């Protein structure tokens, strides 16, 4: 018996419906948050800061803010949905269905990516209103947006499977995502950092994500775009394999 | 894919030396069991006996530590797509998704099971389980019994050939319990094989073709209901209400007979119908009988006895 495509489609739609019915919380609130970032860092402070690599500061922060919202939304969508259904027992409906790990992972990741693209797209539109339209290399921009949202959706699945209580789940955004994104060159160029921090920053995967998208949108980047893409694709492959295996063996979700 | 896979073997369920451990604790110990096509099998046991754990292993919610399980000839581990498509599960724990209405829940479950969602079939299921009035309600606003009926409906969306009912009547009122059992019988008539657990033993006695008793993870016994009731049968009791009180027992009653309620009631054991007839004749010689109740051995009595025996071993 082959893949359960009806099941995959149903699970995907179910996850989409979950975030779209509470769109005020899932779509509107991140939009407001990032608009505030634009106002504070871009408009208020940006006028006092000089340009970076010839780009006005308010434009410089746009790719980072888009990435920040995509990362958070992709992660939160899979993590909160899966964790909630694990705790309230509704995951059973999925676990007793004839769905293989491939279908389950694709459905969850697909829905999370959709949310990330909706929010990221809206943030981009807000940015266009503030800074005008910039899209230097659309192909690269799309590639980075896809790789990043998929990676963090996968990470969300792993976090939800691993977590036993709500506290566990918040460890990842609080102690991993926030520091990595703030230190990942969203608000500054790593060339502005003194040694050894410019080198240390290169170990942070978020740096490659932000700079990849910055290259796609603005045409400039702190790091080589090919190198960024390769790093990200490798990260995505590792996360995909790990998540598939965890779902396949039912780690922490089947006894 | 809409059609369910064709069984490779007519046997709905075969458990072969199944052991399930949780760390050092063994919840299911070496269970071997074959279920017959089209039967209603009652799996009985005290709390913590391992009933749910065994069912979870079959449904793929847990994986046995040792042994093999096959559903219609398909292995539950390597051929889970076939086995899960063929079986339905009504879980013991209520679970419900606050986001969706009963109708939506059924449509979603159909899709997950790999069946093209069919709104008319979902409506028909709601009708069967008296949920039509709550078709579009928030699931969290349903009462406990309604939620349980929704779980049963959900387990049937893909027309499973093997159905597990893990305490489906817990918290369901008497009338709806009767309806539910009528539905179970109807499913059986349509060819569905049913395995149920319940702590209401009179239900099991009434419904089950065969009974299995599990205790501390070990299957103590598997027998035809009638054979079990017969072989384990104890003397019954006849309760005779008399028009006027008797001072003393009539002659020639079986040992153990006694007068109660100031001589207005006579209680006498009987082990075969002839003995009961003789008792009635003796009593009628000295008194007028105004009411008669005959108590037979109940499954509950046999169950209690079996568990007590197992505890002593
Ligand atoms: N995930 C688990 N981890 C550890 N122990 C477990 C787990 N699930 C069940 N058990 C233990 O296995 C034993 C059997 O539990 P099970 O739920 O199968 O009993 P049951 O026969 O269904 O009981 P009940 O009639 O109360 O529903 C119990 O002692 C229980 O504590
Ligand atoms: Mg149980």
């Amino acid at each position: 018996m082959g893949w359960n495509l009806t099941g995959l489609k149903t699970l995907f739609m179910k996850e989409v419906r979950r975030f779209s019915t509470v769109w005020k919380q899932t779509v509107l609130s991140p939009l407001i948050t990032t608009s505030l970032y634009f106002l504070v860092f871009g408009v208020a402070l940006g006028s006092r800061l000089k340009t970076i690599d010839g780009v006005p500061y308010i434009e410089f922060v746009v790719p980072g803010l888009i990435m920040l919202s995509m990362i958070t939304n992709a992660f939160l969508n899979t993590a909160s949905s899966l964790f909630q259904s694990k705790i309230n027992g509704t995951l059973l409906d999925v676990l007793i269905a004839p769905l293989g790990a491939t279908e389950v992972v694709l459905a969850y990741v697909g829905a999370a990516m959709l949310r990330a693209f909706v929010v990221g797209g809206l943030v981009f539109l807000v940015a266009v209103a503030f800074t005008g339209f910039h899209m230097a290399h659309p192909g690269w921009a799309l590639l980075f947006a896809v790789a990043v949202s998929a990676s963090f959706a996968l990470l969300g699945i792993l976090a939800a499977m691993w977590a036993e209580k709500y506290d566990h789940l918040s460890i990842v955004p609080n102690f991993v995502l926030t520091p990595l994104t703030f230190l990942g060159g969203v608000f500054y160029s790593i060339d502005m950092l003194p040694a050894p921090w410019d080198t240390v920053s290169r170990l942070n995967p978020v740096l490659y994500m932000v700079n990849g998208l910055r290259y796609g949108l603005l045409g400039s980047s702190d790091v080589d775009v090919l190198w960024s893409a390769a790093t990200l694709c490798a990260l995505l492959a590792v996360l995909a394999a790990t998540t598939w295996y965890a779902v396949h063996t039912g780690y922490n979700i089947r006894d | 894919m809409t059609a369910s896979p064709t069984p490779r073997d007519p046997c709905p369920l075969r458990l072969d030396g199944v052991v399930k451990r949780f760390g050092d604790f063994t919840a299911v110990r070496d269970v071997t069991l074959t279920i017959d096509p089209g039967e209603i099998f009652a799996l009985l046991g005290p709390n913590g006996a391992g009933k749910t754990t065994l069912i979870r292993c079959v449904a793929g919610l847990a994986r046995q530590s040792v042994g093999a399980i096959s559903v219609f000839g398909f292995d539950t581990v390597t051929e889970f797509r076939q086995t899960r498509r063929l079986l339905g599960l009504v879980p013991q724990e209520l679970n419900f998704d606050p986001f969706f209405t009963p109708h939506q829940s059924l449509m979603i479950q159909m899709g997950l099971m790999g069946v093209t969602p069919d709104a008319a079939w979902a409506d028909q299921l709601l009708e069967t389980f008296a949920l039509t009035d709550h078709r579009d309600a928030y699931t969290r606003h349903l009462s406990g019994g309604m939620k349980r009926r929704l779980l049963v409906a959900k387990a049937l969306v893909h027309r499973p050939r093997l159905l597990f009912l893990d305490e489906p009547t817990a918290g369901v009122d008497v009338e709806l319990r009767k309806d539910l059992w009528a539905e179970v019988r109807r499913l059986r008539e349509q060819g569905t094989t049913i395995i149920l657990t319940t702590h209401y033993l009179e239900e099991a006695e009434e419904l089950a073709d065969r009974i299995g008793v599990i205790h501390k993870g070990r299957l103590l016994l598997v027998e035809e209901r009638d054979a079990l009731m017969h072989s384990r049968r104890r003397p019954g009791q006849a309760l005779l209400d008399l028009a006027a009180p008797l001072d003393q027992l009539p002659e020639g009653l079986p040992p153990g007979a006694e007068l109660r309620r100031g001589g207005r009631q006579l209680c006498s054991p009987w082990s075969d119908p002839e003995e009961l007839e003789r008792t009635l004749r003796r009593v009628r010689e000295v008194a007028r009988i105004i009411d008669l109740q005959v108590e037979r051995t109940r499954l509950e009595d046999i169950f209690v006895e079996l568990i007590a025996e197992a505890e002593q071993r």
Side-chain angles (χ1 to χ4, degrees), chain B residues 47-48 50-53 92 166-167 197 199:
Chain B
N47 288 141
K51 304 180 292 294
T52 300
T53 304
Q92 178 174 7
D166 198 354
E167 295 189 35
T197 77
H199 290 292

Side-chain angles (χ1 to χ4, degrees), chain A residues 69-92:
Chain A
S69 64
M70 292 190 84
I71 286 172
T72 326
N73 281 280
F75 178 84
L76 279 183
N77 205 64
T78 48
S80 63
S81 168
L82 190 59
F83 183 72
Q84 265 174 29
S85 60
K86 173 170 128 178
I87 296 303
N88 70 20
T90 50
L91 188 60
L92 181 132

Side-chain angles (χ1 to χ4, degrees), chain A residues 1-4 6-7 10-11 14 17-18 21 88-90 92-93 95-100 103 254-255, chain B residues 1 20 22 56 60-63 80-82 84 95-97 99-100 104 108-109 111-115 154:
Chain A
M1 245 165 99
W3 283 14
N4 177 358
T6 311
T10 308
L11 187 56
K14 178 179 161 185
R17 208 156 357 153
R18 189 183 295 279
T21 47
N88 70 20
T90 50
L92 181 132
D93 297 346
L95 295 178
I96 62 166
L99 285 161
E103 294 103 293
R254 295 185 205 265
D255 289 325
Chain B
M1 180 211 67
K20 177 62 189 175
F22 295 107
R56 287 171 64 86
L61 293 168
R63 182 158 168 189
F80 68 89
R81 288 178 194 276
Q82 282 88 341
R84 290 189 204 158
N95 71 354
F96 63 96
D97 202 321
F99 275 92
F100 303 112
Q104 287 170 336
I108 289 171
Q109 200 59 28
L112 292 178
M113 296 311 291
V115 178
K154 250 165 95 176

